[in-house]
Amino acid sequence: MERERTMTATAESTALAETVRRMLERVAPATSLVHEDGLDALLRRVDAALDDEIGLAGLLVPESQGGLGGELSDAATVATELGRACAPSRFVTATVLAGPLLADVGHAGPFGAACLVVPWGTAPGELLPRLVVVDGLVSGSVRSVAGVGDGPLVLPVTVDGETAVAIVSADAPGVGLAPVTSLDTTRPLTDVTLDGVAVQVLATGRRAVDALDAGLERAAVALAAEQVGLASWCLSTTVDHVQQRRQFGRLLGSFQALKHRLATLWIEVDSASVAAEAAATTTSDRAVLASAAQSMCSEVALHAAEECIQMLGGIGMTWEHPAHLYLKRALVDLNALGTPEQHRRRLATLVDLPPAG
Amino acid sequence: MSAADLEHLAARLLAAHPPASTDRLDFLRAQYDAGLAWVGKPVGRGGLGLTVSDQVVVDAALRAAGAPDNDPAANSIGLGMAAPTLLRYGTPDQVDRFLPPLWTGEEIWCQLFSEPGAGSDLANVSTSATLDGDTWVVNGQKVWTSGAQNARFAILVARTDPSAFKHAGLTYFVCPMDDPGVDVRPLRQITGEAEFNEVFLTDVRIPDSLRIGAVGQGWEVATATLNNERVAIGGGGAPRESGMIGVVAQAWRSHPERRRPVLHDRLMRLWIDAEVARLAAERVRRRPAHVTPGPGDSAAKVTFARIAQQLTALEVELLGDDGMRYDDWTMRRPERVSFTGRGPGYRYLRAKGNSIEGGTSEVLLNLIAERVLGLPAEHRPDKGIPWNESAR
């Protein structure tokens, strides 16, 4: 029985991956990514296709709250394809993180492209809200927020010294959204300023803290899956290249120095996919496996992108070839939702391996 | 078959052969006949044709009832390598003869593959087997044979046609270790002990009925054995923090005074690597029985070796002054080997073998590069010429 369920789930997941992959090949081919002027429009087209055409809006929101009641493993499947295509999208920040977070704190929706207003480097368990609600109004700023669009802004705040979750519309009076020149152009960052903004508090105390942590943890798992997709693209692109490029009368791929590096990278990517899949499918061990996966997948993705740039040689240094976009995304995602070292520290506490001192 | 069904079968076995009043070997033989020896293997061969991981349910039920086990550590070559090879390439008569006593541990097996001139280049074996009537006469020298002093049988690769191409001239045999021409000598290694042996074969006589596979098919059969070995060495099925990571994590927990931030980050990286390797082994164990090990499984072995070496080095460094001591350099011949046994110095030294035995990490990376990624093969000056004309 267990095996049959697993096999059905595997088949469904493969079908979803293929659907998303085909859509991305059509809507966001690699050639479209290098024209930075069109990235914003591209992001909207990708998300419209994900939400409406494939019908993934509200994927992780429970059915009782008007969502699809999907599993995090479904989201991981989609994220892997987004990473493979290096596609701009708010899928992770909205569909995985902020939307279900709103549902968790009892918001009735619609959730739209909701955005959790925290620095993109915020690790699960390390969120300290710095915005304070005084007389229902919030003032302050949050730098380097990913996923800001026209959807609602979800604010971690403190009310009377307690952590709370609040919501405000992106076009509310006093909200300032300043686009940042991001290192990773495929995931735009925004500085958010709030000047006496009237917000609606949705939850306070334990419920708010748990919803924020769970949201960031979900996003960390989806990001790990994205990183596996990104790393897979880098590996296969590099292997394709060394199979064609000749120097000294030989295929580059015949040099053992490169063969060993690529075989090592294949092992790393395979391990990363095991880690990401375990984190996405577990029901009982999410915190441990999420941080294990974030630590490993972040580093493997960056390593894969760096190997890709090196083995592509001069081609990898050009703006025209999309490899640099993967490198930049992998580099930024190293820090996104917590650095690998932060996740290892979080893990250390969870598995009783206390740090020095 | 559900877990409840398997528990039911185990209960039936226990009822018919109560462990408290049944001879150990009788119980093991009954377990084999009931298909509960290794449920991943075929019906009639000690199994039920299920997946390897289903065995966990059976073992738990039998252990809880105080049933004996077959002491798998004492016959790891037999169970991990000889058995799957016999099942795939042996005749029904050969399987009937060898498999039951192999599983129960009545007959221990060893491996006669490597030679002084055939390590990574295993296909270069020069031990010869020539046919005399219906008996093969074997001469040569084998090395790195663990357990040879206890073994009843060996799996042997020998050259039956020196004028054929290198890989085509090999044949695979079962070698009786009690033949008077078999001379086993301990080979002392860097840990101080002799876990392995050199085995000298002088006019050893092997009946043709002990040939596994066709004459000249030895390389294919040996490759199947080695893929199983890599799965066995890199394999798993163990709970979190078992194996080397468990030893080093425990050392970290019991020595708060030695903790340093840089060591902590190294430990956490390796903890993650070990946990992911464990999860990857679980994935292999959940694979249906008909999926045979392939080049991709070599990754587990490369990873296992790297993690073991990095962890043992970390442990020696963590222990400081205590890391400078060694338990005992006395030459001995251990009955069974545990990579995590003895002291930290032993663990470090023994782990050096993990990236050499069963295919060096370098050879396995070549294998992955060529068979998984499809990159060009290495230049091979010995290819396409008769073995006895190649430079050796």
Side-chain angles (χ1 to χ4, degrees):
Chain A
M1 273 303 284
E2 183 56 40
R3 204 167 318 132
E4 280 166 32
R5 257 202 308 278
T6 310
M7 285 174 73
T8 313
T10 306
E12 281 171 7
S13 153
T14 307
L16 177 59
E18 273 171 22
T19 304
V20 176
R21 197 187 301 202
R22 273 201 305 273
M23 180 278 286
L24 290 169
E25 281 165 4
R26 177 168 49 81
V27 175
T31 47
S32 70
L33 296 173
V34 293
H35 303 294
E36 66 264 51
D37 295 345
L39 275 176
D40 191 48
L42 187 61
L43 183 147
R44 284 165 200 283
R45 282 203 300 279
V46 167
D47 282 348
L50 284 174
D51 287 350
D52 307 331
E53 187 184 309
I54 303 178
L56 296 173
L59 176 66
L60 299 184
V61 173
E63 284 174 284
S64 59
Q65 289 174 271
L68 302 179
E71 304 287 339
L72 185 53
S73 56
D74 301 326
T77 299
V78 176
T80 300
E81 297 311 318
L82 289 168
R84 196 190 311 281
C86 205
S89 169
R90 295 194 186 101
F91 180 79
V92 171
T93 52
T95 309
V96 176
L97 207 182
L101 194 164
L102 282 174
D104 264 359
V105 295
H107 187 62
F111 304 107
C115 172
L116 181 67
V117 181
V118 293
W120 183 224
T122 306
E126 298 196 10
L127 173 59
L128 293 171
R130 275 176 308 200
L131 300 171
V132 183
V133 181
V134 181
D135 299 331
L137 301 179
V138 175
S139 294
S141 63
V142 183
R143 279 163 54 88
S144 301
V145 180
V148 173
D150 38 24
L153 301 178
V154 183
L155 305 172
V157 293
T158 55
V159 184
D160 300 331
E162 256 199 320
T163 295
V165 174
I167 188 170
V168 67
S169 151
D171 57 7
V175 173
L177 304 177
V180 174
T181 303
S182 315
L183 177 52
D184 168 16
T185 52
T186 67
R187 184 145 28 219
L189 299 178
T190 307
D191 288 346
V192 177
T193 55
L194 305 156
D195 184 10
V197 176
V199 300
Q200 180 195 352
V201 174
L202 299 173
T204 56
R206 195 73 250 166
R207 190 176 186 203
V209 171
D210 287 350
L212 289 166
D213 270 354
L216 289 168
E217 197 167 274
R218 273 197 310 275
V221 171
L223 183 64
E226 211 190 274
Q227 287 163 324
V228 169
L230 185 151
S232 302
W233 183 91
C234 292
L235 175 62
S236 64
T237 299
T238 312
V239 169
D240 288 349
H241 176 74
V242 302
Q243 293 274 44
Q244 288 169 18
R245 171 84 172 164
R246 278 176 191 279
Q247 292 284 272
F248 305 102
R250 294 168 58 176
L251 287 173
L252 289 191
S254 71
F255 288 95
Q256 199 177 51
L258 300 188
K259 284 168 69 174
H260 279 195
R261 276 165 67 172
L262 287 165
T264 304
L265 187 59
W266 179 82
I267 294 175
E268 287 179 24
V269 175
D270 189 53
S271 295
S273 80
V274 168
E277 192 191 325
T281 50
T282 181
T283 49
S284 56
D285 204 17
R286 174 75 31 86
V288 164
L289 293 177
S291 277
Q294 248 315 293
S295 169
M296 178 178 273
C297 297
S298 288
E299 295 187 347
V300 168
L302 184 59
H303 186 219
E306 289 173 342
E307 290 291 71
C308 181
I309 293 289
Q310 174 64 19
M311 291 190 221
L312 257 55
I315 295 163
M317 285 299 291
T318 65
W319 190 270
E320 186 184 351
H321 194 286
H324 66 100
L325 297 166
Y326 287 79
L327 177 67
K328 293 162 186 172
R329 184 139 156 176
L331 182 59
V332 168
D333 287 348
L334 191 69
N335 294 349
L337 299 168
T339 65
E341 193 270 339
Q342 276 176 295
H343 280 281
R344 289 194 288 271
R345 257 193 294 133
R346 177 170 181 261
L347 180 64
T349 308
L350 294 168
V351 301
D352 184 32
L353 288 168
Chain B
M1 193 173 288
S2 74
D5 293 338
L6 283 170
E7 277 163 4
H8 177 68
L9 289 176
R12 231 167 46 187
L13 172 70
L14 289 162
H17 309 271
S21 57
T22 306
D23 173 70
R24 178 176 173 274
L25 279 175
D26 288 343
F27 183 89
L28 293 172
R29 287 179 193 135
Q31 184 182 348
Y32 183 94
D33 292 340
L36 298 175
W38 35 24
V39 296
K41 299 276 195 275
V43 174
R45 300 299 184 205
L48 298 169
L50 307 176
T51 66
V52 178
S53 57
D54 291 325
Q55 186 65 33
V56 177
V57 178
V58 175
D59 287 348
L62 295 182
R63 217 171 299 135
D69 76 5
N70 63 340
D71 194 7
N75 196 18
S76 54
I77 302 277
L79 293 163
M81 301 171 66
T85 309
L86 286 167
L87 273 168
R88 187 152 162 212
Y89 290 99
T91 64
D93 283 351
Q94 288 169 336
V95 180
D96 284 343
R97 161 62 188 87
F98 292 120
L99 216 52
L102 183 161
W103 185 80
T104 60
E106 288 164 84
E107 290 175 349
I108 304 295
W109 288 63
C110 68
Q111 181 197 33
L112 298 173
F113 280 20
S114 297
E115 295 180 5
S120 287
D121 187 9
L122 181 63
N124 197 38
V125 298
S126 58
T127 291
S128 65
T130 48
L131 200 54
D132 174 21
D134 62 355
T135 300
W136 295 87
V137 181
V138 179
N139 282 283
Q141 181 189 349
K142 295 288 181 175
V143 72
W144 302 120
T145 309
S146 55
Q149 71 274 26
N150 301 319
R152 173 70 181 83
F153 291 105
I155 43 178
L156 165 75
V157 179
R159 188 161 302 280
T160 45
D161 183 359
S163 63
F165 292 163
K166 184 172 171 176
H167 294 75
L170 300 173
T171 304
Y172 197 103
F173 298 97
V174 171
C175 176
M177 291 296 284
D178 58 358
D179 186 284
V182 175
D183 179 17
V184 176
R185 301 181 200 166
L187 179 60
R188 197 176 184 194
Q189 68 211 56
I190 60 174
T191 56
E193 63 184 21
E195 179 188 337
F196 301 98
N197 299 278
E198 298 176 285
V199 178
F200 295 84
L201 306 166
T202 310
D203 292 333
V204 173
R205 300 184 68 82
I206 300 179
D208 190 50
S209 61
L210 294 187
R211 174 169 43 79
I212 306 295
V215 173
Q217 200 187 4
W219 180 250
E220 180 191 327
V221 183
T223 302
T225 302
L226 292 173
N227 281 336
N228 279 299
E229 178 183 32
R230 280 161 206 154
V231 170
I233 290 180
R240 179 174 287 170
E241 271 194 27
S242 42
M244 204 65 83
I245 183 60
V247 172
V248 182
Q250 215 39 58
W252 180 269
R253 291 187 185 111
S254 47
H255 290 284
E257 79 287 359
R258 299 207 190 277
R259 293 173 193 158
R260 299 288 178 273
V262 172
L263 291 183
H264 186 248
D265 198 54
R266 270 168 63 190
L267 175 66
M268 292 316 300
R269 263 176 207 281
L270 288 165
W271 192 96
I272 293 167
D273 289 351
E275 173 64 5
V276 173
R278 187 186 72 86
L279 293 165
E282 283 303 309
R283 188 179 59 172
V284 172
R285 281 160 43 84
R286 283 197 305 268
R287 227 159 40 180
H290 62 81
V291 179
T292 51
D297 293 313
S298 300
K301 204 237 156 197
V302 175
T303 301
F304 169 80
R306 175 182 63 79
I307 295 172
Q309 292 173 352
Q310 292 179 351
L311 275 171
T312 53
L314 175 67
E315 188 192 13
V316 170
E317 190 176 339
L318 172 70
L319 293 179
D321 289 347
D322 287 341
M324 298 193 287
R325 298 162 180 259
Y326 196 75
D327 60 347
D328 187 1
W329 292 115
T330 308
M331 156 69 187
R332 63 182 115 188
R333 294 174 93 175
E335 286 298 307
R336 59 208 62 189
V337 170
S338 164
F339 295 153
T340 56
R342 297 181 53 176
Y346 171 86
R347 286 192 277 273
Y348 172 86
L349 292 170
R350 183 60 187 82
K352 287 290 161 223
N354 293 157
S355 55
I356 300 167
E357 56 205 343
T360 68
S361 292
E362 288 74 13
V363 162
L364 297 182
L365 289 177
N366 273 353
L367 196 69
I368 292 167
E370 293 170 19
R371 307 282 174 78
V372 179
L373 298 177
L375 297 175
E378 289 301 300
H379 176 55
R380 294 281 299 274
D382 59 352
K383 225 175 165 183
I385 54 169
W387 178 78
N388 56 12
E389 289 173 23
S390 64
R392 293 196 302 279

